[in-house]
Amino acid sequence: MNNFNKLLTVNEVCQALSIGKTTGYKLLREKSIPSGKIGNKILVRETDLQNYINEHLNATPH
């Protein structure tokens, strides 16, 4: 059984959220979405992206 989460690139994160690269990199830089670097690639666990989405969909509007 594979216990590893799927890893997503910044481009895949941006596509999933329907946002541009600038906004995607800003979310990662601000640590709104946890990420890590392997070599020169920034990667995001699919579960971390799903948690970010769930938090923001369940948030009450200001």
Side-chain angles (χ1 to χ4, degrees), residues 32-56:
S32 297
I33 301 173
S35 64
K37 232 178 159 185
I38 297 178
N40 63 349
K41 286 210 177 260
I42 298 172
L43 300 170
V44 174
R45 287 187 202 111
E46 188 175 43
T47 53
D48 287 334
L49 178 59
Q50 189 61 54
N51 289 339
Y52 173 82
I53 292 168
N54 290 339
E55 285 174 16
H56 286 78

Side-chain angles (χ1 to χ4, degrees), residues 8-21 24 49 53:
L8 304 171
T9 64
V10 176
N11 285 337
E12 291 171 324
V13 170
C14 292
Q15 286 178 332
L17 297 175
S18 298
I19 59 174
K21 281 186 182 181
L49 178 59
I53 292 168

